[in-house]
Amino acid sequence: AMPIVYALVARGRTVLAEYTATSGNFPTVTRVLLSKIPAEDSKMSYIYDAHVFHYIVEDSITYLCMADQESKRRIPFEFLEDVKNRFRSTYGDRALTAIAFTMNEDFSRVLAKQMEYYNSPDSDRFSQVQSKISDAKEVMVQNIEKVLERGEKIELLVDKTDKLSNQAFKFEKSSKKLKNAMWWKKMQMYMLVFTVVALVLFFIIAMACGGLNFKSCKSSDSRRRLLMFPDTFDALDSIDAVHPQY
């Protein structure tokens, strides 16, 4: 069985190259189908009787093939991707202005060769291996991304820890400064209270002693000494009597 039996490359309704591996009215059906395919980039499959038309539109160029319904969609679309890459690398922008069947003589042989390859069992096994390799690459990329994300989280955590340590150090330093300032403020308050109390006591004693020169306290102190030492003052009087002053 041949999964892919027909293929073409077209610009809108203008067929640039085509190849069919079996007889049938496929060209007629594809002409009608080309008129229904939108010009914007797309990828789609249409069922027609026992066959399915698969196509890719890219940069206004349509790459189309027809395969039986039993074939998997993966193989026809891999065939179309291969055809697209070969056609673009060979003709480039010439396909945008070429007239009908300009590339058919050369590129129909490419279509036949690639169709034969993708219809072989080896192609399916190779595609499966490629799919597994792609899946493995995706898993590896995902695993690496997860590791990188964990590394980034660890770096962020370390950065936050450093910031917290710096903030703790600054807080401790500011706390010591605040403690010293509070201690000096407390000492200044004590000194102020002590000074006020001392001044109050000074003024109270001064008022009790008759003023700031303490006159009453001094006179009372002299009388107290006279009462305590009367013999001393009598001796002084006798000396004055023996030695009169001239």
Side-chain angles (χ1 to χ4, degrees):
M2 298 178 63
I4 304 172
V5 296
Y6 176 80
L8 67 76
V9 179
R11 184 186 69 251
R13 298 183 183 182
T14 304
V15 178
L16 302 176
E18 71 176 342
Y19 174 79
T20 178
T22 184
S23 59
N25 63 339
F26 313 131
T28 305
V29 175
T30 55
R31 299 309 184 270
V32 177
L33 184 59
L34 286 174
S35 64
K36 306 295 182 181
I37 295 176
E40 60 268 12
D41 292 0
S42 58
K43 181 185 292 187
M44 188 70 67
S45 298
Y46 289 110
I47 298 176
Y48 173 74
D49 290 339
H51 296 86
V52 181
F53 288 94
H54 309 277
Y55 72 84
I56 295 175
V57 178
E58 189 170 310
D59 296 333
S60 302
I61 304 298
T62 302
Y63 307 90
L64 181 145
C65 72
M66 191 185 74
D68 56 44
Q69 290 192 23
E70 295 180 359
S71 63
K72 300 176 182 178
R73 296 180 72 238
R74 186 185 73 252
I75 295 176
F77 277 107
E78 286 180 357
F79 166 75
L80 291 176
E81 286 289 339
D82 188 6
V83 168
K84 180 190 73 174
N85 293 333
R86 291 174 184 273
F87 186 83
R88 294 181 65 176
S89 63
T90 304
Y91 300 105
D93 293 337
R94 283 187 291 166
L96 300 176
T97 56
I99 62 175
F101 293 98
T102 300
M103 292 87 174
N104 191 63
E105 183 177 356
D106 295 326
F107 202 74
S108 62
R109 290 194 289 268
V110 176
L111 292 174
K113 182 179 179 181
Q114 297 310 114
M115 189 181 297
E116 181 180 0
Y117 170 74
Y118 280 93
N119 284 334
S120 66
D122 293 337
S123 171
D124 192 24
R125 284 196 293 269
F126 180 72
S127 299
Q128 291 177 1
V129 172
Q130 278 189 324
S131 177
K132 290 180 180 178
I133 292 173
S134 299
D135 292 341
K137 286 181 179 178
E138 289 180 2
V139 171
M140 288 175 65
V141 170
Q142 288 178 0
N143 290 336
I144 291 171
E145 286 178 351
K146 289 179 181 179
V147 170
L148 292 175
E149 287 176 0
R150 284 200 296 268
E152 185 179 3
K153 289 178 182 178
I154 291 171
E155 288 177 359
L156 290 174
L157 181 62
V158 171
D159 184 55
K160 288 180 181 178
T161 305
D162 291 338
K163 288 182 179 178
L164 289 174
S165 299
N166 293 331
Q167 290 176 357
F169 176 75
K170 290 180 180 178
F171 178 76
E172 183 180 0
K173 191 175 180 180
S174 61
S175 297
K176 288 182 179 179
K177 289 183 179 180
L178 180 62
K179 185 177 180 181
N180 292 334
M182 293 297 293
W183 184 83
W184 278 110
K185 190 173 182 180
K186 187 176 180 182
M187 292 302 298
Q188 289 174 355
M189 184 64 68
Y190 285 157
M191 292 174 66
L192 179 62
V193 171
F194 176 78
T195 303
V196 171
V197 171
L199 289 173
V200 171
L201 289 175
F202 174 78
F203 282 110
I204 290 173
I205 295 171
M207 291 176 65
C209 293
L212 295 176
N213 56 0
F214 298 95
K215 288 181 180 181
S216 60
C217 291
K218 288 180 181 179
S219 61
S220 62
D221 185 56
S222 299
R223 286 196 298 272
R224 193 179 301 112
R225 288 200 301 269
L226 181 60
L227 292 173
M228 290 177 64
F229 306 101
D231 295 337
T232 305
F233 286 95
D234 291 340
L236 290 172
D237 290 338
S238 62
I239 291 172
D240 291 335
V242 176
H243 302 283
Q245 298 177 354
Y246 298 95

